[in-house]
Amino acid sequence: MSKNIVSKRRKWALGLVAALLLILLGYVVAGPYLAINGIRNLVAAKEYDQLWRFVDFDQLRDSVRPQLQERIARGIVGRIGPSETARTVGDVTALIAQPAIDAMVSPVGIATLLQGSALAHRMAGDVDADGKARSVDPLKDAKTGYLSPSLFTATVQNAEGQPVVFEFRRDGLSWKLAGLRLPE
């Protein structure tokens, strides 16, 4: 009889452990979607100071910096020609790019990127009945997918139809926006 009780307890314990593992796995798998929804809700509520919960600003800045610097360098070389030294172009590029990176990779910059400019929406006539700019959700129709167990992407098309890729990275059990691949 005692063997039967121990066996039942083991089954219950194993069942409980299996259920907890399934719940944990479900949470990790749903994590990027929870992060997207969290960002969406904070932007809609204009609680930009709370975006740090779902955005890793340092990693995002490191992701955007080389892309902007490369574009600026191409523009400079295209205007002045390849006669200038690479170091000079690099120094000028870093000087020009840093304020743009700081503005873009800030809570307000992320909010503007995700909801668009209210002025642009008003000018386009995209307003609610009360005259306020209608909020836009660019991640609403995003193509999403896992690239690895710790990298998730949400791809949207910009106004020109080019892809903008939002990269979410897992850190432990939580997911944060940590990268952005800008269109060419």
Side-chain angles (χ1 to χ4, degrees), residues 27-76:
Y27 178 76
V28 170
V29 169
Y33 297 101
L34 294 173
I36 289 171
N37 195 47
I39 291 170
R40 181 181 292 132
N41 291 338
L42 289 174
V43 168
K46 296 185 180 359
E47 295 178 10
Y48 309 137
D49 60 330
Q50 294 297 311
L51 281 173
W52 62 267
R53 294 173 24 204
F54 302 105
V55 179
D56 185 331
F57 288 102
D58 291 332
Q59 282 189 5
L60 189 59
R61 193 172 289 110
D62 290 342
S63 167
V64 170
R65 180 178 292 116
Q67 295 176 72
L68 287 180
Q69 287 178 339
E70 190 265 333
R71 287 193 176 103
I72 292 170
R74 274 191 300 188
I76 291 171

Side-chain angles (χ1 to χ4, degrees), residues 116-143:
S117 166
L119 177 61
H121 293 297
R122 258 193 217 107
M123 291 178 69
D126 192 16
V127 293
D128 290 331
D130 61 359
K132 291 185 179 179
R134 195 173 284 139
S135 63
V136 176
D137 184 3
L139 295 175
K140 179 181 177 185
D141 297 320
K143 293 179 184 171

